Amino acid sequence: MDVQKIEAFVRVWAALLLLLTACLVGLDTQSKYIFYVDRKITYKELHALGALVYVASAAAGYNLLQLGRSVFVSRYLGNSKGSYRYLAWVSYLLDQMVVYIAFGTNSAAVEHSVLALSGMKEFQWMKWCNKFTRFCFQIGGALVSGYAACALMVLATSISAFNLFRLYSSEKFLRLKST
């Protein structure tokens, strides 16, 4: 397998996992009667989960755009290193940004989910997962899916770095000066 096929495979799976994350969180809802009141819980109750839906959707779209860029570059630009060098830098830097933002958003969602799991006596926050177990399990699955997508995006960023730095000549790369 060549590098482009591996990159396409990784990006497609990252996009699918990110879409799975967004769907699991965005469509998760549970209703329960608590003290004779119908209480409905959704991802909008925790702001980090709302941000996770938007960031995961945007990151999935970005990976699909990068997949299209990869096909375009291989098909139409070929081996022209001069014009591709700037595109490779932009691609690499954007890959880095998307991975960091997706990982940070996923980590913030984990932090808020831990508060929903354990509660906080000082603020009189109840433990949601005692009452809404299906909701919490589905959010947990979404977070695992989000971290798996982040790992795949790290791999895609590594491939992007390889594609960038192979454009530079290795004649003077890390060469010691002769005396």
Side-chain angles (χ1 to χ4, degrees), residues 115 118-127:
L115 280 176
S118 63
M120 185 171 272
K121 242 182 197 177
E122 293 83 14
F123 294 122
Q124 296 178 354
W125 290 347
M126 70 176 206
K127 298 177 184 182

Side-chain angles (χ1 to χ4, degrees), residues 58-74:
Y62 170 77
N63 276 306
L64 293 177
L65 283 174
Q66 282 290 76
L67 184 63
R69 180 218 34 99
S70 177
V71 169
F72 175 78
V73 166
S74 67

Side-chain angles (χ1 to χ4, degrees), residues 57-126:
S57 301
Y62 170 77
N63 276 306
L64 293 177
L65 283 174
Q66 282 290 76
L67 184 63
R69 180 218 34 99
S70 177
V71 169
F72 175 78
V73 166
S74 67
R75 188 167 288 174
Y76 296 111
L77 290 182
N79 292 329
S80 59
K81 289 185 179 180
S83 63
Y84 179 65
R85 189 173 289 168
Y86 298 113
L87 185 61
W89 270 107
V90 169
S91 172
Y92 173 69
L93 293 175
L94 285 175
D95 278 349
Q96 290 283 318
M97 279 184 6
V98 169
V99 169
Y100 289 140
I101 290 171
F103 184 78
T105 306
N106 210 33
S107 297
V110 166
E111 181 181 356
H112 278 175
S113 296
V114 166
L115 280 176
L117 180 67
S118 63
M120 185 171 272
K121 242 182 197 177
E122 293 83 14
F123 294 122
Q124 296 178 354
W125 290 347
M126 70 176 206

Side-chain angles (χ1 to χ4, degrees), residues 107-160:
S107 297
V110 166
E111 181 181 356
H112 278 175
S113 296
V114 166
L115 280 176
L117 180 67
S118 63
M120 185 171 272
K121 242 182 197 177
E122 293 83 14
F123 294 122
Q124 296 178 354
W125 290 347
M126 70 176 206
K127 298 177 184 182
W128 286 1
C129 291
N130 289 347
K131 309 278 190 241
F132 305 101
T133 54
R134 186 185 51 78
F135 176 82
C136 289
F137 279 120
Q138 193 165 335
I139 294 296
L143 294 173
V144 169
S145 174
Y147 277 121
C150 286
L152 285 173
M153 286 192 303
V154 166
L155 184 59
T157 302
S158 301
I159 293 170
S160 182

